[in-house]
Structure formats: structure tokens, C-alpha cells
Amino acid sequence: MTDRITDRISRRSALKSLAVSGTVGLAGCGGLSSDSEAEYGATDIPPEEAGIEEWGQKLNDHAREAGIDWQQFEGEGIELTFGNALHPYATTTKQVKSYFEELTGITVNYETVSEEQYWRTARQRLGEGGRYDGIMCGLWPAGGYHYGSDGTPWVRDLWQFIEDDSLTDRDWLAMDDFREQTIELMTFPNEDGTSDFIGFPNGIEAYGCTAIHKPTFETLGLAEPTNFAELEDCARTISESDEVDREGIVSRTSSGTLSAANWGTMFKTYGADWIDRQTKEAALNSEQGINSLERFGGMLHNYGPENPSSYDWYKNNNAYSEGDVGMMYSTPQTSGIVDTGVMEETKWLPPLQGPDGRDPVVDTWVWATAITADSDHPEAAWLFIQWANSRQANLMLSTRQWQGDQPRAGYARFDWVDQQVQNGNAPPVPGEGYMTAFREGMDNVPGGRPSEPDVYPPVPVDTNQNMNIMSEAASAMSNVVANGPSTAAAELNNVAPTITEHAKNIPDRYVAADRFDNK
């Protein structure tokens, strides 16, 4: 079978070579026959309709290579509903899910709400029961989904489906593509000593990397920062310079829970802890925690864009994309909405060293898909999850594949995707230094490993209270960004009692050092 993506790229490369030699004109200017690449013009990416058809067929061709019966539920009139955040995973898979319906006879409906609203909506729907067969399941709220409202999980253990030969071809599923750490971070302990793997990954992120605008650094003669002190010096120089019309730095700093993610890397690299797991009390208002927020909040307050505490994920990326700032402290995985031309002028730096040369401790996120405990058709939902998170689907999500769609939100199968890019089977990944920053970032993510049960994740994602704890932390962080670094101690002291209340509600099995002994 011809690989259509490879074939398209090979033809494109040949046409580019001819264009350089002057023997082929640009699209619309003559020189290309009607059955050549003229329909795609001069772009590397096909029009929307052609790209969707190309990928839909490719996903089904790939699915047919699996040794399972995709039509085993055909004729049963099954309709599935998946709850989704408004995110590239949902918007991209929505475009091609009709091909799954054609392959299986199973109808898939999406209910999609904004990302900021999704966490509240998903929790409400799961608590009520019966609404969804599956949900987009992020790492940060996953422990809460596993605990439910009374210790009874709202989501199912996926191993029961993975180990069922009638539903899964494990060689085709290729779970070895994922980092072991990613699977373990999505695994939670039950009261009886067993554990549940509740979300199949489609995207992973390393927070606290730095995008630098190379022309700005060249104009000002700046060296690449290697630690937080140098990062702040660069931000100050850019902001105060008359040679460039940019502020120094932007990051995600609104009061939304996930806005604490990038500060989370700086916080942990300073040696701070969010909670004391033995006493179940707040610990974020330690000297290290306060120092980290003084630096983070000070940089964004003094050298960031106007009203920096209002910057969510989109506004953060747009500020960098539109040339408002010279640096972005963020995750490379959110670069999908950064302008392609700007990305060509960008270099990604791995997470920076902390005080006294301390190695980075990196915060992370996993996007995954879960099956609800209330689904009447969990096996059919599992077929869709496999299809929508297969190797080819993750390649589609990880690279820009048709005009108007800018996903770049996959990379869960990072090394495999990287190899496809190297083999010419996909457009290149965005930005100089992207691969190195991502790998080094993920290599410095602690926790989630049964082999190291006393090592905990960078935020309390292994507990049912993580979203409550980190919501308080994000609110404090955003207030410091708004009001200045001198307020850091007061803000952290202010939220500490509430965080302690949440921590007291963590069941012992989620924080015990032996929580994976019976895995």
C-alpha cells in the first residue's frame, strides 16, 4: 500500500527542487499539470477537505492492520457521547470521526465546551452520571475522577479492555511508544490494593521551557539564559531596551487552575513542596515557595505585557506570536497557535537551573481519554479510543495536516512521531530546539513510578484534591503577578489554611509511600 502522506511529501519535495532550478512555476502561474500538486498550491499543507479525506482514509487503513473485528458491534445502533474540552484533540478528531463510523457502524457524538469551563462541566456530568460514554481526561483532575464523590471511580480501568484479545491487538496498539512515566501518572491506587489505569494518552507536555525570539536576542546581544536569574536579566533588558519594541516575557498567569503549571516548574526547582504528605498540611508558603513566587511574579509584573495576570493559555501564546514579547515561559506543546513565521525565528530552551545550580524539577500534563463507569457500551467506546489515539492519529494530532487546522497537540508517542518526521512522513516539528527541550523537560519530571514509590509528582496529581489545591495556588500566583513580588508571602500565607483543608481530605492510599506495593 502506498503511503499517501509520504507520497505527497515526496512529490512536494521534487516540485520544490524543480522550482529552485526554474523549470516549474508557482501554482496558478503555469508549469503544473492538473494532476500534479497544483491543487495544493505553494503550501506544504493540503486544503481542508483534501486533508481530512486523506487522513480519514489513512486512519482506517491503519486500523485494518489490527487483528480485531472493527465491525463486531455493527447493526446494534450504538451511539456514543464523548465530553471534550475545546482543544485541538477534539477539534481535529471531530473532523475525521465519520471515518470511524463508516469503519465500525458505531455513531460518535461530541459535546464540547470551552477548556476553562470544561473541568467544572465534566465533574458535574460525571457526578450526575449517565451523560457520557467517554471524556477527555487531563492529568490534573484525573485523581478526582478516579476517587469520584465517595471513593467509587467515575471512570473505568482500561487494562480490562487492553488485555481482551477480542477488543485489542496489543502489538498494533504499541503502548511501548509511551513513556512508562506517562502510563504510571495516569494510574491510581484502589482501596483494595489494586490500581486503575484510567486515561489513554494523546498528548503530553513539559512546562517551564523558554521560547526566545532569536532576532531580539541578536539585536540586544543577549546570551541564552541558563538559570532563573539570567532569565529575569534577559526579561529586564528586553523590556527596558529602546532597540526593540517588546516587553520581556509572557507566561500563563491568569487565576485559572492550570495557569499554575509553568510557575510549578520554577516552584519545584526552588525545592518547594505544595503539601506535607505526612501531616496533610499546606507547605507552599515555605521560604523556597515564597522565593519562587517572588521571582516568577516579579518577572511577569515588572517585565511582562500590560495586565499580565489576565493571560490564559491563548493570550499567552498570542502575545508571543504577535511580537509583543521577546520570551515565552511555557510548554513547547502549546506552540500550535504560534505563527509559523515567528516559530521559524524561535529557539526553545529546556527547563532552566534553579538557585545554586539546582537541577530542574519539571511540571507536566497528560491529555488522555477515559471511559465512564456509567457507559452502557464501554467496549464500543474502547474501539473509538484505540482508533482516535492510534499511532497514525497521534501523528495527525502532532503535526499540522490541513489548512485551517493547527493541532500540534499530540506527541504522546513522541519518539515514534519524531521518527516519522525524520523519515519524511510528516511536516517538521515546530521551532529550533523543540525536540531537545521536550525530551530534557520530560526527563526531569518526577513521580508516578511504582519503582520509586517515595518520589511524588511535581503537583499533587496523584491525589483526588489536586485541582482544589492548585486552584488556590493559581489564585495566589495570579494576584502576585498583578500586584508585585512583595505580596508573595502574604498571598501564599492566605491560601495555606484552605489548602490544608483540602489536603486533609486526601485518602491515605493516594499519599502513602507504599501506594504501589500491590500494583
Side-chain angles (χ1 to χ4, degrees):
M1 179 183 69
T2 300
D3 187 324
R4 297 183 62 192
I5 304 299
T6 304
D7 182 58
R8 168 162 63 83
I9 292 175
S10 297
R11 289 186 289 113
R12 181 190 311 133
S13 298
L15 286 166
K16 283 184 175 179
S17 297
L18 290 170
V20 169
S21 68
T23 57
V24 174
L26 295 175
C29 301
L32 292 176
S33 62
S34 61
D35 61 349
S36 72
E37 188 116 335
E39 62 183 308
Y40 294 164
T43 182
D44 287 350
I45 308 169
E48 182 178 37
E49 184 176 351
I52 291 170
E53 179 184 2
E54 191 169 290
W55 271 101
Q57 292 179 6
K58 189 174 182 68
L59 290 171
N60 279 356
D61 287 342
H62 178 57
R64 292 185 184 102
E65 296 173 5
I68 60 172
D69 179 10
W70 290 95
Q71 286 79 42
Q72 59 187 283
F73 301 112
E74 189 174 27
E76 296 186 19
I78 293 175
E79 285 198 28
L80 304 174
T81 299
F82 281 77
N84 294 296
L86 184 59
H87 178 274
Y89 175 78
T91 57
T92 301
T93 56
K94 182 179 181 179
Q95 298 275 47
V96 295
K97 66 183 177 64
S98 62
Y99 288 85
F100 172 81
E101 296 173 335
E102 177 184 310
L103 175 70
T104 64
I106 299 167
T107 300
V108 177
N109 302 309
Y110 275 8
E111 181 180 298
T112 304
V113 297
S114 71
E115 187 172 337
E116 290 295 321
Q117 179 67 26
Y118 177 68
W119 313 114
R120 186 179 301 109
T121 299
R123 185 169 182 85
Q124 177 184 346
R125 298 284 191 261
L126 289 169
E128 294 169 349
R131 179 86 171 229
Y132 297 144
D133 295 279
I135 57 166
M136 279 181 69
C137 178
L139 172 62
W140 281 33
Y145 299 165
H146 178 258
Y147 182 78
S149 55
D150 60 359
T152 302
W154 287 334
V155 288
R156 297 177 185 248
D157 178 29
L158 298 182
W159 285 116
Q160 61 185 303
F161 308 109
I162 295 169
E163 294 171 354
D164 186 335
D165 291 342
S166 69
L167 294 172
T168 307
D169 179 340
R170 286 177 290 280
D171 289 337
W172 177 87
L173 190 61
M175 289 187 67
D176 286 347
D177 289 346
F178 303 114
R179 287 173 172 258
E180 183 179 356
Q181 174 197 76
T182 300
I183 302 302
E184 291 170 345
L185 282 168
M186 296 304 299
T187 299
F188 297 89
N190 295 316
E191 197 168 14
D192 63 3
T194 63
S195 60
D196 292 343
F197 168 52
I198 68 166
F200 198 85
N202 60 69
I204 53 177
E205 300 174 8
Y207 291 111
C209 298
T210 305
I212 64 170
H213 186 242
K214 292 187 291 185
T216 296
F217 269 62
E218 291 167 3
T219 297
L220 299 178
L222 292 173
E224 296 173 5
T226 62
N227 56 46
F228 297 136
E230 293 174 1
L231 180 69
E232 184 169 9
D233 285 342
C234 288
R236 179 189 301 108
T237 300
I238 295 168
S239 180
E240 295 178 352
S241 172
D242 294 329
E243 297 181 65
V244 295
D245 186 20
R246 295 173 182 257
E247 291 298 335
I249 192 167
V250 71
S251 191
R252 188 175 181 174
T253 49
S254 72
S255 59
T257 310
L258 295 179
S259 288
N262 291 301
W263 168 47
T265 291
M266 189 177 292
F267 176 92
K268 292 300 295 183
T269 304
Y270 263 78
D273 288 312
W274 305 103
I275 58 174
D276 183 318
R277 289 169 177 263
Q278 291 184 327
T279 64
K280 295 184 182 178
E281 295 179 338
L284 79 171
N285 54 339
S286 65
E287 180 182 358
Q288 297 95 322
I290 292 169
N291 289 343
S292 76
L293 187 50
E294 286 177 342
R295 170 142 275 155
F296 182 84
M299 281 196 306
L300 275 300
H301 179 81
N302 296 324
Y303 314 121
E306 187 175 358
N307 299 320
S309 63
S310 67
Y311 277 60
D312 59 11
W313 179 64
Y314 297 98
K315 202 171 180 181
N316 162 65
N317 280 270
N318 284 335
Y320 184 76
S321 185
E322 294 169 6
D324 296 337
V325 295
M327 296 188 296
M328 178 169 63
Y329 188 65
S330 187
T331 169
Q333 278 65 39
T334 66
S335 62
I337 62 171
V338 173
D339 178 79
T340 302
V342 173
M343 196 53 67
E344 290 175 354
E345 299 175 342
T346 294
K347 181 175 181 180
W348 282 101
L349 306 181
L352 304 173
Q353 290 182 334
D356 303 319
R358 187 180 287 122
D359 289 338
V361 181
V362 178
D363 196 3
T364 189
W365 173 269
V366 180
W367 272 119
T369 317
I371 299 174
T372 65
D374 292 318
S375 175
D376 292 329
H377 306 289
E379 293 84 2
W382 172 244
L383 289 186
F384 180 70
I385 287 175
Q386 286 185 88
W387 184 90
N389 298 287
S390 66
R391 276 182 159 180
Q392 293 299 332
N394 200 242
L395 179 62
M396 176 184 68
L397 287 164
S398 301
T399 52
R400 197 173 273 153
Q401 291 295 353
W402 56 76
Q403 293 173 27
D405 187 60
Q406 301 180 356
R408 295 184 180 175
Y411 301 103
R413 300 175 182 267
F414 187 80
D415 290 328
W416 185 83
V417 169
D418 183 22
Q419 190 60 58
Q420 299 309 302
V421 172
Q422 301 305 318
N423 292 346
N425 291 345
V429 238
E432 179 186 347
Y434 175 91
M435 295 291 188
T436 298
F438 181 91
R439 283 198 173 93
E440 290 191 19
M442 294 307 301
D443 286 345
N444 284 286
V445 174
R449 305 177 183 88
S451 57
E452 299 178 70
D454 58 340
V455 177
Y456 296 94
V459 299
V461 293
D462 52 336
T463 79
N464 63 321
Q465 293 295 325
N466 179 67
M467 288 294 278
N468 290 329
I469 290 169
M470 297 312 297
S471 290
E472 296 294 332
S475 176
M477 176 271 297
S478 187
N479 287 341
V480 174
V481 171
N483 298 314
S486 63
T487 62
E491 289 292 342
L492 294 184
N493 287 331
N494 183 54
V495 299
T498 305
I499 289 176
T500 292
E501 290 178 17
H502 294 311
K504 295 294 187 185
N505 290 323
I506 300 172
D508 289 342
R509 69 178 182 272
Y510 288 101
V511 295
D514 62 352
R515 65 198 184 281
F516 286 114
D517 278 3
N518 296 314
K519 184 176 186 293

